Each structure stands twice: as C-alpha cells, then as structure tokens.
C-alpha cells in the first residue's frame, strides 16, 4: 500500500473539516484506493488556540518551512483563504 504524507496550510473551518473527513474515511480510502493518507503537519497561526477539529495538537505548527522543507510530505494543501499569505506559501 502506498503511503502519502500531507501538509495542511490552515486548520479553520475548511482545513479542519478536510482533516476530519480524511480521518473518518481513512480506512475506506485505503481499501478502495490502496493509499494510506497521513496528515503529518498542519500550519496554524496560533498552536494554542482551541479548535473544533479532531486534529491533534502535536501536528500543529506555526512554522511554514517545517512543512515545505519536510522531505516526507508529498502533498501540501492550502486552506488559508484570501490572497496573502496563501499566495506566497503556494509559490514556495
């Protein structure tokens, strides 16, 4: 089975929802697609903020470069919204 590590940029309403959907459907995705999805890191502005998502606090980071420079992360998904800093992050 292929393992795919993902870095999330943002964990608000959309990013948090995407994280929860991946977690809730992880087994079904693995069985159907032969892919094991793993959200490895999640970029947020404030790692201490209370969130409604299932995302564990140990995945949270406020360091963008820890995501884009991680050789294990194959996909970076942007859920920040707006133009900046999302544009700068995507170009990086």
């Amino acid at each position: 089975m292929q393992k795919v590590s993902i870095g999330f940029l943002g964990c608000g309403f959309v990013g948090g929802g995407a994280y929860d959907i991946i977690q809730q459907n992880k087994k079904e995705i693995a069985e159907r697609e032969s892919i094991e999805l793993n959200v490895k890191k999640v970029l947020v502005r404030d790692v201490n903020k209370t969130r409604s998502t299932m995302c564990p606090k140990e995945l949270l980071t406020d360091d963008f470069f820890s995501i884009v420079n991680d050789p294990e992360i194959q996909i970076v998904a942007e859920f920040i919204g707006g133009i900046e800093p999302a544009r700068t992050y995507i170009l990086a």
Side-chain angles (χ1 to χ4, degrees), residues 7-81:
F8 272 27
L9 305 182
C11 193
F13 185 75
V14 176
Y19 179 86
D20 292 345
I21 288 170
I22 287 173
Q23 296 309 114
Q24 292 166 1
N25 296 289
K26 190 176 251 188
K27 184 177 178 183
E28 181 181 331
I29 293 167
E31 290 172 357
R32 187 181 63 221
E33 303 297 332
S34 295
I35 296 174
E36 182 182 319
L37 294 178
N38 175 42
V39 178
K40 187 170 181 198
K41 293 181 185 173
V42 178
L43 179 72
V44 294
R45 276 188 284 204
D46 181 359
V47 295
N48 296 311
K49 179 181 172 183
T50 302
R51 292 178 168 72
S52 60
T53 182
M54 297 185 299
C55 185
K57 190 171 182 172
E58 56 268 11
L59 295 184
L60 303 180
T61 181
D62 58 3
D63 179 11
F64 166 71
F65 294 103
S66 73
I67 294 177
V68 295
N69 292 330
D70 187 330
E72 293 180 8
I73 294 179
Q74 298 149 299
I75 297 172
V76 177
E78 183 270 311
F79 300 107
I80 297 172

